[in-house]
Amino acid sequence: MSGKVRNYYAGGNTAKGFYSFYDSALDGLDRVFILKGGPGTGKSSLMRAVGEKMVKEGLDIEYLHCSSDNNSIDGVIIRSLQAGIVDGTSPHVIEPKAPGAIEEYVNLGIAWDSAILRNNKSEILKLSEQREQQFQKAYATFAKALKAHDLLEKVYISNMNFNEANKLTDELIKEFYEDKKLEKKSNVTHRFLGAATPSGAINFIENLTDDIGKRYLIKGRAGSGKSTMLKKLTAEAENRGFDVEVYHCGFDPNSLDMLILRELDIAIFDSTAPHEYFPERESDEIVDMYDRCITPGTDEKCADEIEEHGKAYKNGMKEATGYLAEAKAIHEKMEEIYIKAMDYSKVEEIKRKIITDIEQLR
């Protein structure tokens, strides 16, 4: 039987710049292969090929997707073997814990013809600078969009019934955990369920929750307390010894979008745009923060203000996405240069060696 594939992001293009949860994603692994090499050197293809082989052999894997290229992955983890492979080139900063003992650097640069790259040095440097400029424009524009979103949140916060929000949170704590407590330390992992990408907002909620028995879909507006409630539910899980997957917002990493408590067969997630979902299963349940916690008539009373800030937010997100798309187009030009300099038969040899090393962990 084939293994299961879980998809998520460990890094994202956010209003805080490129934000990484790679340390959390790789925590607990005993063997980590860190790939080094330029664009077009085959890192993503290598990792995907290894992942596909593991799945065919019945092992579950996790793909860490690339927020800057919808067709690429930045890592693959085989949790049952405590092994993983990750792209270790910028902007992914991987801090080794025990180089050589756990982490092993794999240089795909041995497969390129340096003479070809030297002949294209000025073009590579120019494209690299142009790409970085587009990323910085994207981050600055995301930051402006976040300010507009904050102003939108203030409208609803000023019309918020905090006592009712606390009461709702307490009800969910009781419903989730009852009197249960595990005599172990909680394992908390931090990830992104989605990301701002060159193709717009992408999420993997369906994939991550497809085997969860009970899903809670949170409805509400900006500032209606969704993230705060999720943070309180996370703290309660930690206090009671339950493992929890914490999925941060791909736009604002300080905000939470989803929790998964696999030991309780529960997932709860923000089900508003850009990851708007509606009940699809009989067991799905809506948690309506607007209806429960916001003063009735707020949408109508503050319609002009809401429209102004909402428009600024959406326009900013659209503009920033355009910069990401430009960065990707420039990156692809760099890839073309490196592809012409590569001997992929050597990359194939590296892949075979990594697979052999991973197979020995069984």
Side-chain angles (χ1 to χ4, degrees), residues 214-274:
K214 180 70 175 181
R215 303 192 308 176
Y216 295 81
L217 285 62
I218 310 172
K219 297 294 182 180
R221 309 289 191 273
S224 59
K226 301 185 296 293
S227 177
T228 299
M229 182 173 71
L230 291 175
K231 288 175 181 177
K232 290 180 179 179
L233 289 168
T234 299
E236 192 67 26
E238 288 188 76
N239 290 337
R240 293 170 179 257
F242 289 101
D243 296 342
V244 55
E245 296 169 22
V246 180
Y247 292 88
H248 293 248
C249 173
F251 169 56
D252 178 6
N254 294 326
S255 183
L256 303 188
D257 274 349
M258 179 167 74
L259 306 181
I260 298 181
L261 300 153
R262 297 195 183 275
E263 291 161 322
L264 295 173
D265 207 20
I266 288 173
I268 179 167
F269 58 91
D270 182 338
S271 186
T272 59

Side-chain angles (χ1 to χ4, degrees), residues 11 29 41 60 137 144 146 187 195 347:
L29 300 185
T41 52
D60 295 343
K137 287 180 183 178
K144 289 180 182 178
L146 180 58
N187 181 36
V347 177

Side-chain angles (χ1 to χ4, degrees), residues 63-84:
Y63 278 139
L64 315 185
H65 286 255
C66 175
S67 59
S68 299
D69 184 345
N70 299 82
N71 298 317
S72 291
I73 60 170
D74 283 341
V76 60
I77 295 174
I78 309 100
R79 195 72 61 180
S80 62
L81 300 181
Q82 294 181 298

Side-chain angles (χ1 to χ4, degrees), residues 144-212:
K144 289 180 182 178
L146 180 58
K147 288 180 180 179
H149 193 269
D150 288 343
L151 291 173
L152 187 60
E153 285 186 337
K154 286 182 180 179
V155 174
Y156 290 102
I157 290 171
S158 64
N159 288 277
M160 179 89 170
N161 185 331
F162 292 98
N163 289 332
E164 196 61 32
N166 290 334
K167 184 179 177 183
L168 174 57
T169 302
D170 289 341
E171 289 170 7
L172 287 175
I173 287 173
K174 185 175 181 181
E175 187 172 341
F176 283 17
Y177 306 112
E178 301 172 335
D179 295 324
K180 299 172 184 174
K181 187 172 183 180
L182 301 181
E183 296 303 321
K184 67 176 180 63
K185 184 179 179 181
S186 170
N187 181 36
V188 182
T189 54
H190 295 272
R191 305 166 174 175
F192 291 108
L193 61 82
T197 80
S199 298
I202 302 293
N203 75 79
F204 292 112
I205 289 176
E206 284 290 350
N207 169 263
L208 291 165
T209 65
D210 65 359
D211 57 352
I212 296 294

